[in-house]
Amino acid sequence: MENQASSKNTILNYGLYYGVVSVIFSLIMYALGKHLEQGIATSLIGFAIMITFIVLATKKFKFDNGGFMSWGQGVKIGMGVVLIGVIISAIYTYLFTSFIEPEFKNQIIEKSIVQWQDAGMSQDQIDLSKQMTEDYFYISLFGGMVIGGLVLGFIFSAITSAIMKHSEEETY
């Protein structure tokens, strides 16, 4: 492949789109009062958004590359898109928890206490869990976003790339 397409613009554009759509989805959930709930439906919508932008980006790259794309190129495109989108989402989450809804941390802790009580935890266990949640809230929130996003992004990118790959060797 002498005139191979650049993946940089595809990654930047679709990563930006993914991040913006994720932020809009989060704002909609907040407006509906569902920002504290992480149910199956919310997770599935988040997965669908991620998969959509991975697929769109890999299709765009493959088209720009004359119909050719290796598995590795597809994974690189998908992971780049997810990384940019997750960074945008993390920045939004920081702004959300700092300015839009500064009581978010306390709301999560209160909701967790009720769940811990319902699970039959002792008061000592609840106090310890509350302290750990307070101490590590932001580390676990942002770490979970980034690590979880990248792991899922890799899985979805690997599957998408395996389905969409097409090399010159396969043509002949």
Side-chain angles (χ1 to χ4, degrees):
M1 277 186 252
E2 296 168 3
N3 296 326
Q4 188 172 21
S6 170
S7 58
K8 183 179 172 182
N9 286 338
T10 303
I11 290 170
L12 289 174
N13 287 334
Y14 285 91
L16 178 64
Y17 299 150
Y18 170 51
V20 168
V21 169
S22 295
V23 168
I24 290 170
F25 177 65
S26 295
L27 287 170
I28 290 169
M29 295 301 290
Y30 177 67
L32 295 173
K34 305 282 186 187
H35 62 288
L36 296 175
E37 298 175 21
Q38 281 299 315
I40 297 272
T42 304
S43 296
L44 291 176
I45 292 170
F47 296 157
I49 292 169
M50 179 187 284
I51 292 167
T52 298
F53 285 100
I54 290 171
V55 169
L56 290 173
T58 52
K59 283 180 78 169
K60 172 76 168 126
F61 176 79
K62 186 175 175 181
F63 176 80
D64 290 348
N65 203 35
F68 297 107
M69 180 184 73
S70 70
W71 181 83
Q73 288 171 320
V75 171
K76 176 181 147 184
I77 299 287
M79 289 299 294
V81 167
V82 170
L83 179 62
I84 291 171
V86 166
I87 288 170
I88 292 169
S89 292
I91 291 168
Y92 160 76
T93 301
Y94 170 76
L95 295 173
F96 177 80
T97 58
S98 298
F99 303 107
I100 298 171
E101 187 66 55
E103 286 297 310
F104 181 74
K105 177 180 170 182
N106 293 332
Q107 293 170 345
I108 292 291
I109 291 172
E110 288 173 18
K111 186 175 179 183
S112 296
I113 288 172
V114 170
Q115 291 173 342
W116 296 328
Q117 289 170 338
D118 291 345
M121 289 175 67
S122 71
Q123 190 58 45
D124 289 341
Q125 291 172 320
I126 290 173
D127 291 341
L128 179 62
S129 297
K130 179 182 175 192
Q131 187 60 48
M132 289 181 67
T133 302
E134 288 173 348
D135 292 345
Y136 299 107
F137 182 77
Y138 293 106
I139 292 171
S140 64
L141 179 65
F142 295 115
M145 283 179 68
V146 173
I147 293 169
L150 292 177
V151 168
L152 288 172
F154 176 77
I155 292 167
F156 296 144
S157 295
I159 293 168
T160 300
S161 299
I163 293 168
M164 296 179 67
K165 75 179 176 89
H166 182 72
S167 63
E168 288 185 47
E169 294 83 28
E170 293 172 0
T171 303
Y172 303 110

